[in-house]
Amino acid sequence: MWNEESDWIGSFDSQLARLAECRMCSRDRGERPDATGMDLEVLEVAEEGSYGRVFRCLDIHTGALVTMKQITMVRLSQGVPAPIIREVSLLKELHHANIVKLLRVGLTENRYVNLVFEHLDYDLHHFIVNRGYPKDALTVKSFMYQILSAVAYCHSLKVLHRDLKPSNVLIDHSKRLIKLADFRLAGEFADDLLYTEKLGTSWYRAPEILCDSRQYSTQIDLWSVGCIFAEMVIGQPLVQAINCRDELEGIFKLLGTPTEETWPGITKLMPNLHIYYPKFDALGLETFVTDLEPSGLNLLSMMLCLDPSRRISAEAALKHAYFIDVNYVSLLLL
Amino acid sequence: MAYHHHDHTNRKSLLDTLYCSEAEEDYGHFLNNSSPASPPFLLQSDMFSDEQELTSLLGKEHHNPLSTCLQTNPALDFARREAVEWMLKVNSHYSFSALTAVLSVNYFDRFLFSFRFQNDKPWMVQLAAVACLSIAAKVEETHVPFLIDLQQVDESRYLFEAKTIKKMEILVLSTLGWKMNPPTPLSFLDYFTRRLGSKDHLCWEFLSKSQGVLLSLLGDSRFMSYLPSVLATATMMHVVKSVEPGLEAEYKSQLFGILRIDKEKPEKVNSCCKLLLEVWSGYEEEEQEQGKQCMKRKFGIGSIPGSPNGVMDVSFSCDSSSNDSSVSSSPEPLSKKSRSEEQEQLLLPNPNHSNSDFLHRL
């Protein structure tokens, strides 16, 4: 049996190689010209993280710029990592102008999964930091409309993004086009909690998540979109804290410590609420978000509503008066 | 997975008449990993266009042509049934959701059809089953056991190393085009209960009964020839009939209305209902009282007759989730466990494809 297994693994490897080749290299089955084995010329390493590396590449057949996310499969005992399966399978289903296109999936020596995406210039985080944030009110409005369009589309397919933040919002600067990316944590609506401290910044997380609720839905994405909205207007995150507890305190200072009247069920969700947090009176969004027209402030307050059941949906947000002067024609032509 | 339904508190529903006040803990273990006393959270959701959702589901569903192959290949059918039973046992042991079970079988069947297994390597079927269950758990569950631990639940003929399973996972994912969120009968069950339901507990109870029936049919390849929407409709009809026979006709018209069933589908639904009834009633007399009590207590199946071919009885027995043995998480070498000579000689030809043809077709 041992010999049989090793023989089989050998042939299995060649099958996998051929399978990957058939999928990735449809034009040329000859010698591969680059280290990635995907007929891509690596131009630069754009980013390095704990999960792997991101490369800016040139597709040698089309000449198009692409982004390749190379994810290392380190934990052999667990096989293909769950986030990769989730992200790829969801992106295979999501076809929308404001969601990044996954062009192909490849394998390198069975140690890496290579995800090749269309290339976009930069993300919203860099746009805000490096360009002094979009001061033009119409740009903010256009970006918001596009983000909400993508989120509404995801929600219509019963998919939550779960990790919306400026660095996951990509920008094609020439077309003023927005695309959502990084669906590693995304999934169909579930009653399990996928967020943990180690998953990165808590600045864009909904209060129900910060309160450890296991009962959350589409509203968590709308809170994140609200945080992004505010950040585009003021040029910095609305509430910045080093941990979940401080983040909640910052939110309560801004919007007021919730009560059963303002957030029915909060005392059940957080029985020790008034032990851990003082009773803050709301400072109000208008105190911090000053350069926003009244209808925009109204929409923002509907997104940043503490009670998830009263938070506006993406579909409803798109119909809000704030977007009455969005140039729909130019958006349709994107 | 949480189930969403619209708030229909102002109108009486047919489901209201099916309501019975059995203890909530009867169903808790079956639907999710929460403690039996707390039912899953049924989210109120009015943001989806029902029609849009249904159109999307119907547009993406298709049945697996493998069912035709299995009719002419008893050896492959036997291997499939065995693999499905194993997947259901593991699913129950780890308290995975019903959707995880359905998805793992869906992946397995799609892969089985697309990939020709070598005649002299029957163990590849088991390896595919391990890989498919692992992938389904990763798609749907929060906590996924180590690959080696998945294999320790039931006495499998083979024990595979983690690296071998990983390679098979990659092959399965590639073969299925990484499309791991297909419409399943559960998608339609969820949709139906949201459209027809009015009480949270009622939707949940009805759903659990329908899921129980559906899971018990997974091993029977004859049901593969039906579209997920048809199988879901037939399953719900069966549950209604077993609980409240007088409502069957009215309920059927509501279901058919929701599904926009017009031309050939009614015949398919009737055919599926007939097969379902035949399968269940055939085993009703054989079911032991102990098994019946177990199912009633755990799944709220109540008056529904016993499961076909012992799938539910074996896969979801009362003590299936207890595990006394300590299991090592370190990868172990591939080894073969003893089984009867007859089963060792299993040949698994797929008449439709060869490996090379399949790879060139991609």
Side-chain angles (χ1 to χ4, degrees):
Chain A
M1 198 61 179
W2 277 107
N3 292 336
E4 188 176 341
E5 188 207 3
S6 57
D7 290 348
W8 174 71
I9 287 175
S11 63
F12 201 0
D13 284 343
S14 63
Q15 281 182 341
L16 282 172
R18 285 169 64 196
L19 193 65
E21 199 175 332
C22 289
R23 288 195 173 280
M24 298 308 115
C25 315
S26 53
R27 299 193 186 197
D28 178 16
R29 296 184 192 278
E31 194 173 324
R32 292 169 177 171
D34 68 290
T36 65
M38 295 181 70
D39 286 6
L40 301 174
E41 184 186 335
V42 177
L43 301 178
E44 63 175 340
V45 179
E47 192 185 316
E48 287 211 47
S50 55
Y51 60 88
R53 293 177 293 178
V54 177
F55 300 94
R56 198 159 65 91
C57 304
L58 195 68
D59 186 315
I60 63 165
H61 296 304
T62 64
L65 274 176
V66 293
T67 299
M68 187 179 79
K69 190 191 286 188
Q70 187 173 78
I71 302 160
T72 313
M73 292 194 283
V74 283
R75 296 159 88 174
L76 257 178
S77 57
Q78 286 171 280
V80 181
I84 296 173
I85 297 174
R86 281 204 182 109
E87 180 172 22
V88 175
S89 62
L90 281 170
L91 285 171
K92 284 275 184 181
E93 284 187 36
L94 301 175
H95 305 290
H96 190 272
N98 300 117
I99 293 174
V100 69
K101 282 192 187 76
L102 175 66
L103 302 175
R104 53 202 198 195
V105 185
L107 311 160
T108 306
E109 299 168 14
N110 286 332
R111 283 185 301 158
Y112 304 110
V113 174
N114 296 325
L115 307 182
V116 181
F117 295 95
E118 59 180 321
H119 178 74
L120 283 94
D121 305 320
Y122 37 75
D123 60 54
L124 186 57
H125 171 71
H126 288 103
F127 188 84
I128 292 168
V129 171
N130 299 336
R131 299 179 63 87
Y133 62 98
K135 294 185 175 71
D136 170 19
L138 276 174
T139 301
V140 172
K141 197 170 288 195
S142 169
F143 282 10
M144 274 303 298
Y145 192 86
Q146 292 179 69
I147 292 168
L148 283 165
S149 296
V151 171
Y153 171 76
C154 289
H155 291 179
S156 74
L157 294 179
K158 300 181 76 177
V159 171
L160 302 181
H161 188 287
R162 292 195 251 221
D163 196 25
L164 287 169
K165 54 190 176 186
S167 58
N168 287 341
V169 177
L170 305 182
I171 302 173
D172 179 336
H173 189 56
S174 61
K175 296 179 185 170
R176 278 285 195 271
L177 182 61
I178 285 283
K179 297 207 181 212
L180 296 192
D182 205 342
F183 284 75
R184 284 177 308 126
L185 303 179
E188 287 210 353
F189 301 165
D191 56 9
D192 46 39
L193 185 67
L194 289 182
Y195 280 99
T196 62
E197 286 284 346
K198 66 172 183 269
L199 287 176
T201 180
S202 60
W203 300 346
Y204 307 93
R205 280 191 223 163
E208 60 269 32
I209 295 290
L210 296 168
C211 289
D212 267 351
S213 171
R214 296 181 72 86
Q215 301 172 353
Y216 63 80
S217 186
T218 50
Q219 300 92 339
I220 65 166
D221 283 342
L222 270 297
W223 177 276
S224 303
V225 173
C227 293
I228 293 168
F229 188 9
E231 189 167 337
M232 277 198 284
V233 176
I234 64 175
Q236 62 183 49
L238 191 59
V239 181
Q240 301 178 64
I242 54 169
N243 57 42
C244 291
R245 195 184 177 286
D246 290 354
E247 182 70 22
L248 265 180
E249 186 167 317
I251 290 168
F252 294 162
K253 280 178 181 172
L254 183 68
L255 303 174
T257 306
T259 62
E260 275 298 318
E261 288 73 47
T262 60
W263 184 350
I266 185 61
T267 49
K268 192 177 178 185
L269 183 59
M270 285 191 79
N272 299 322
L273 175 70
H274 294 294
I275 297 171
Y276 291 124
Y277 301 97
K279 190 169 181 358
F280 296 111
D281 292 323
L283 292 169
L285 286 168
E286 63 281 359
T287 314
F288 294 90
V289 188
T290 50
D291 297 330
L292 188 57
E293 62 192 83
S295 63
L297 202 57
N298 177 262
L299 175 59
L300 181 61
S301 67
M302 293 169 90
M303 288 177 175
L304 297 181
C305 174
L306 286 173
D307 178 6
S309 66
R310 294 177 196 165
R311 209 172 291 152
I312 194 168
S313 71
E315 204 176 324
L318 288 168
K319 295 169 186 163
H320 193 275
Y322 173 64
F323 294 114
I324 204 156
D325 56 349
V326 163
N327 189 341
Y328 299 104
V329 177
S330 65
L331 284 171
L332 287 170
L333 292 174
L334 288 172
Chain B
M1 177 161 177
Y3 296 93
H4 299 66
H5 67 97
H6 298 276
D7 191 4
H8 298 305
T9 47
N10 294 329
R11 70 174 178 83
K12 285 288 278 182
S13 158
L14 277 170
L15 281 178
D16 290 341
T17 58
L18 299 178
Y19 181 79
C20 60
S21 56
E22 289 180 77
E24 286 183 354
E25 52 266 29
D26 283 358
Y27 314 100
H29 183 71
F30 177 61
L31 277 178
N32 71 352
N33 299 347
S34 62
S35 60
S38 59
F41 184 68
L42 294 165
L43 293 159
Q44 301 288 332
S45 173
D46 57 1
M47 65 191 64
F48 304 116
S49 155
D50 283 334
E51 288 303 308
Q52 188 185 345
E53 186 184 346
L54 182 62
T55 303
S56 171
L57 284 172
L58 291 171
K60 288 192 284 188
E61 72 167 346
H62 54 82
H63 56 72
N64 193 327
L66 177 66
S67 54
T68 317
C69 309
L70 294 176
Q71 285 166 18
T72 57
N73 193 336
L76 185 60
D77 192 23
F78 175 81
R80 179 197 173 271
R81 183 189 295 271
E82 205 175 42
V84 169
E85 286 185 12
W86 176 83
M87 285 191 278
L88 291 174
K89 281 180 191 173
V90 179
N91 198 83
S92 173
H93 175 85
Y94 285 108
S95 300
F96 290 159
S97 69
L99 184 56
T100 302
V102 172
L103 283 177
S104 60
V105 176
N106 176 286
Y107 302 161
F108 182 75
D109 287 338
R110 283 160 60 202
F111 183 69
L112 211 59
F113 177 70
S114 301
F115 201 85
R116 184 180 181 275
F117 289 96
Q118 288 134 316
N119 293 353
D120 58 336
K121 296 180 176 65
W123 47 270
M124 282 184 79
V125 175
Q126 176 63 21
L127 177 56
V130 176
C132 290
L133 179 59
S134 168
I135 294 167
K138 287 170 183 176
V139 167
E140 195 55 32
E141 303 294 332
T142 316
H143 302 293
V144 183
F146 286 114
L147 294 175
I148 200 74
D149 293 345
L150 279 178
Q151 303 175 82
Q152 303 281 1
V153 173
D154 184 47
E155 193 177 307
S156 308
R157 267 187 287 173
Y158 309 102
L159 193 62
F160 302 100
E161 283 186 302
K163 66 178 182 183
T164 307
I165 298 167
K166 187 182 84 166
K167 287 178 180 181
M168 182 54 98
E169 278 184 342
I170 291 168
L171 192 60
V172 169
L173 289 163
S174 303
T175 303
L176 302 187
W178 293 78
K179 290 179 180 172
M180 315 317 284
N181 299 299
T184 68
L186 288 182
S187 316
F188 291 96
L189 284 181
D190 174 29
Y191 179 82
F192 291 151
T193 47
R194 276 189 282 119
R195 283 289 297 267
L196 295 170
S198 66
K199 293 180 182 174
D200 286 3
H201 180 276
L202 179 61
C203 282
W204 170 50
E205 178 191 333
F206 188 77
L207 197 61
S208 72
K209 289 184 178 186
S210 302
Q211 284 180 342
V213 174
L214 192 63
L215 286 174
S216 71
L217 304 175
L218 289 176
D220 193 327
S221 59
R222 290 175 294 177
F223 289 97
M224 286 171 65
S225 61
Y226 297 104
L227 287 167
S229 57
V230 170
L231 188 50
T233 308
T235 301
M236 291 185 83
M237 296 295 303
H238 182 81
V239 173
V240 172
K241 193 173 183 178
S242 66
V243 177
E244 196 66 62
L247 282 175
E248 192 185 359
E250 195 182 344
Y251 198 87
K252 187 175 184 176
S253 68
Q254 275 205 35
L255 274 178
F256 278 30
I258 289 172
L259 252 189
R260 302 195 293 265
I261 287 177
D262 42 19
K263 297 186 176 68
E264 77 285 345
K265 260 193 179 174
E267 292 168 26
K268 293 277 186 187
V269 173
N270 292 334
S271 154
C272 189
C273 282
K274 190 179 173 185
L275 178 61
L276 211 162
L277 191 65
E278 176 192 316
V279 164
W280 279 73
S281 57
Y283 290 91
E284 188 173 11
E285 294 170 10
E286 296 173 22
E287 190 185 46
Q288 295 174 353
E289 192 60 32
Q290 188 184 357
K292 192 180 286 183
Q293 289 306 315
C294 169
M295 271 172 57
K296 186 170 184 177
R297 180 160 60 83
K298 199 163 184 179
F299 306 111
I301 300 293
S303 61
I304 296 174
S307 60
N309 308 329
V311 174
M312 277 279 279
D313 305 329
V314 174
S315 305
F316 296 98
S317 61
C318 289
D319 58 355
S320 64
S321 58
S322 65
N323 183 20
D324 300 328
S325 60
S326 60
V327 176
S328 162
S329 291
S330 58
E332 292 178 30
L334 182 74
S335 61
K336 186 159 67 171
K337 297 187 179 180
S338 59
R339 277 277 176 105
S340 69
E341 199 63 34
E342 179 192 3
Q343 289 181 14
E344 292 295 0
Q345 297 304 315
L346 259 183
L347 299 181
L348 306 171
N350 184 328
N352 295 299
H353 308 299
S354 70
N355 283 348
S356 56
D357 288 346
F358 165 69
L359 289 164
H360 286 302
R361 275 205 324 276
L362 283 172

